[in-house]
Amino acid sequence: MKISVFCLGYVGCVSLGCLSKMGHNVIGVDINEHKNDLINRGLPTIIDKGIDILIKKGRENSLIRATQNATEAILNSEISFICVGTPNDKNGHLNLNQIKTVASKIAIALPQKVGFHTIVIRSTVLPGTAEEISKIIADASHKIPGKDFCVLVNPEFLREGNAVDDFFNPSLTVIGGSDKKGIDLIMEIYKNIPGAKRVVDLRVSETIKLLNNSFHALKIAFANEIGTISKALDINTHQLIDIFLQDNKLNISQAYLQPGFAYGGSCLPKDLRALNLIAHDAYLETPLLNSIEKSNNHQIDRAISLIEEFKIQNIGFWGISFKDGTDDLRNSPIIQVIERLIGKGYKVYLFDEQVNDSQLIGVNKEYIEKVLPHFHSLLLKDFDKLLNNVELLVVNKKGDKTVYKKIFKNIELRLFDLINIPELSSHKYYHGFNW
Ligand SMILES: NC(=O)c1ccc[n+]([C@@H]2O[C@H](COP(=O)([O-])OP(=O)(O)OC[C@H]3O[C@@H](n4cnc5c(N)ncnc54)[C@H](O)[C@@H]3O)[C@@H](O)[C@H]2O)c1
């Protein structure tokens, strides 16, 4: 296939070398003449394991060349990968100027081109960039998206130092967009690349790299803070982390990674606070660990503001324990929401299949009577009564078909789902908390 690669920086140079190894004809386009010259002499523009051999061989086999001439590259390729830099500007936003400049150059070339052209953004961008780039090209070239060209997103997941191997063995290939011609072309290029290939919404593909890198940064910061604490307390850091990593059910797993409502209960808040205080008492700074409770409280504040936006006085809460499947009300974040809404004058009704007023005992009973003194008068005995009394239902519990049917019968009921129940999402007035 004839491919153009816009820019010969890290990602561009690796793409050039790897695509040529797959047998494609690749033209690199960079504004930096020195980089073009290096490629045309069979030399890489970066240092990374194996890239020198790929560029040398690609050049010897006449599969690689570099130019400053964007129009010539567009006319001699059917697909363009854009890999230009997207550095932070002085306020920290991603600066998309390089990618917009490339879009303008593509727009100048396209009117001279017969046939469809696929443009693939490989740079890390912001949600909405592909649509913006498509518009820039369409406005300036008078070519029609979907008919003459398309803009797709295929984020690059390589790591410097291991880039060639990562290109050929990615954890996942993500393609954002819906243009079938373009997607088929990318799939053809990657047909021998292992790993799952997922076609997703444009905005998902534009955001995934930001998410990945933020999570990687979060993991590093977490591990370093644990190291800080364990070193100061003479705990074997390596053994501690090793044991932590061996739990693939709850720690290194999908557990706790679904957007939903705030955490609570008798363990997470207590033990997190204890760890933070251990650090504090040892005069250690652990800003990440310290920020977790703040972040969790913010979710509670958000839930309250969003509930208030409904401007409804009679609110029903279905599910009041700290998580589904228990009657434990201690540190239940929804109880905080309820308490604060009552304080603001809202009329509140509660229902939870698992919370039986007369069976609450011990600290659980003491806790709820202290936090919500009118708890007994607010808790209803059946779901139908709850539905009859309210105009807004806050969903904090999974139910079954019978319960969902009852909810759907209440056509005018406003729903605010805190825990993501897909079965309810087609209700006319369904609102998801974090989705
Ligand atoms: N470096 C990595 O490990 C890595 C990994 C994955 C994704 N990314 C993302 O990929 C993108 C590129 O990163 P990089 O590290 O390869 O960037 P880089 O800074 O190494 O390369 C950018 C290149 O773009 C060229 N350029 C600038 N404007 C141009 C234009 N108008 N036309 C042609 N060339 C132009 C520059 O001369 C330079 O060679 C970024 O969005 C980055 O976040 C980087």
Side-chain angles (χ1 to χ4, degrees):
M1 203 177 293
K2 289 182 171 171
I3 303 172
S4 49
V5 173
F6 276 77
C7 109
L8 296 167
Y10 219 99
V11 173
C13 181
V14 170
S15 305
L16 201 76
C18 294
L19 289 167
S20 74
K21 181 162 164 64
M22 294 158 102
H24 300 293
N25 235 296
V26 205
I27 311 172
V29 188
D30 206 295
I31 47 170
N32 184 326
E33 200 42 39
H34 175 60
K35 292 192 180 183
N36 292 331
D37 184 50
L38 282 172
I39 295 294
N40 287 331
R41 286 195 284 131
L43 296 168
T45 60
I46 56 154
I47 294 172
D48 213 288
K49 212 173 7 175
I51 189 66
D52 47 345
I53 298 165
L54 293 188
I55 298 292
K56 186 167 175 279
K57 286 221 170 113
R59 194 66 195 139
E60 281 167 6
N61 295 331
S62 305
L63 290 173
I64 286 179
R65 67 190 171 87
T67 175
Q68 274 203 39
N69 190 332
T71 299
E72 190 248 323
I74 294 290
L75 297 182
N76 286 298
S77 60
E78 52 192 300
I79 181 166
S80 298
F81 287 104
I82 307 184
C83 317
V84 287
T86 51
N88 291 120
D89 66 18
K90 64 177 189 312
N91 297 319
H93 298 108
L94 281 194
N95 182 333
L96 300 175
N97 286 347
Q98 291 183 30
I99 200 163
K100 287 180 188 165
T101 307
V102 170
S104 311
K105 289 187 178 172
I106 293 175
I108 293 169
L110 276 190
Q112 302 170 49
K113 178 154 184 168
V114 184
F116 194 81
H117 198 81
T118 298
I119 296 146
V120 185
I121 300 177
R122 299 226 72 196
S123 304
T124 302
V125 291
L126 296 172
T129 304
E131 281 167 351
E132 200 184 342
I133 294 300
S134 180
K135 190 171 181 319
I136 290 174
I137 296 174
D139 288 352
S141 68
H142 303 297
K143 290 277 185 175
I144 301 165
K147 178 173 169 281
D148 302 313
F149 75 95
C150 69
V151 180
L152 299 171
V153 176
N154 168 221
E156 174 56 77
F157 297 145
L158 64 80
R159 292 163 297 171
E160 290 188 16
N162 205 48
V164 172
D165 189 53
D166 282 348
F167 185 97
F168 287 117
N169 296 290
S171 43
L172 185 71
T173 297
V174 175
I175 302 168
S178 56
D179 190 286
K180 191 172 175 327
K181 288 189 286 296
I183 292 169
D184 287 349
L185 215 57
I186 302 179
M187 288 293 193
E188 172 63 23
I189 294 172
Y190 292 148
K191 67 176 181 229
N192 293 323
I193 296 282
K197 298 183 179 72
R198 293 283 313 274
V199 177
V200 298
D201 295 349
L202 266 179
R203 281 171 186 248
V204 170
S205 65
E206 290 166 324
T207 315
I208 188 66
K209 183 77 194 188
L210 303 177
L211 198 74
N212 289 353
N213 279 343
S214 301
F215 189 52
H216 302 165
L218 176 74
K219 290 207 286 188
I220 292 169
F222 178 78
N224 285 340
E225 290 194 4
I226 296 304
T228 305
I229 296 171
S230 52
K231 183 170 169 61
L233 272 74
D234 202 19
I235 301 164
N236 183 333
T237 306
H238 301 306
Q239 201 175 59
L240 185 65
I241 284 294
D242 200 39
I243 287 298
F244 170 81
L245 293 174
Q246 278 182 33
D247 185 342
N248 291 319
K249 194 173 168 193
L250 301 180
N251 294 350
I252 310 307
S253 70
Q254 297 195 8
Y256 306 114
L257 275 172
Q258 288 297 333
F261 189 40
Y263 64 76
S266 59
C267 295
L268 266 59
K270 169 177 82 72
D271 294 348
L272 173 68
R273 248 172 247 159
L275 187 63
N276 270 312
L277 283 171
I278 289 173
H280 175 265
D281 293 348
Y283 301 101
L284 302 170
E285 298 249 355
T286 49
L288 175 65
L289 289 170
N290 265 314
S291 66
I292 298 174
E293 189 173 329
K294 192 171 161 208
S295 166
N296 200 52
N297 288 339
H298 176 67
Q299 293 296 329
I300 295 172
D301 295 344
R302 268 193 74 234
I304 294 169
S305 320
L306 292 173
I307 290 171
E308 287 202 279
E309 277 179 23
F310 283 94
K311 303 207 178 313
I312 288 175
Q313 279 301 308
N314 293 344
I315 309 171
F317 286 82
W318 174 34
I320 56 171
S321 56
F322 88 93
K323 68 173 177 184
D324 205 4
T326 168
D327 71 346
D328 199 346
L329 301 168
R330 288 171 298 164
N331 286 318
S332 171
I334 199 71
I335 296 291
Q336 289 192 49
V337 173
I338 293 163
E339 187 222 341
R340 282 164 61 184
L341 287 172
I342 291 172
K344 286 168 181 262
Y346 288 88
K347 191 100 189 81
V348 163
Y349 300 89
L350 318 176
F351 177 71
D352 191 318
E353 291 89 330
Q354 264 129 0
V355 179
N356 186 335
D357 205 6
S358 59
Q359 284 173 10
L360 289 179
I361 50 167
V363 279
N364 199 15
K365 186 171 190 289
E366 279 167 31
Y367 175 83
I368 196 65
E369 284 173 352
K370 190 169 148 227
V371 179
L372 279 184
H374 306 297
F375 176 68
H376 305 285
S377 62
L378 306 175
L379 188 68
L380 301 178
K381 291 233 167 350
D382 75 82
F383 193 61
D384 295 306
K385 245 190 199 149
L386 183 79
L387 291 181
N388 288 340
N389 275 307
V390 302
E391 290 159 77
L392 165 65
L393 181 67
V394 178
V395 181
N396 191 36
K397 195 170 194 72
K398 285 199 164 53
D400 55 24
K401 273 189 196 149
T402 334
V403 182
Y404 299 150
K405 223 173 170 176
K406 287 181 181 174
I407 292 176
F408 274 99
K409 267 195 181 158
N410 282 265
I411 304 167
E412 294 303 314
L413 183 69
R414 268 52 177 176
L415 288 183
F416 184 48
D417 178 4
L418 288 175
I419 56 167
N420 186 20
I421 301 186
E423 290 92 330
L424 293 179
S425 62
S426 57
H427 188 281
K428 188 176 172 196
Y429 293 113
Y430 174 89
H431 301 267
F433 178 42
N434 274 325
W435 47 91

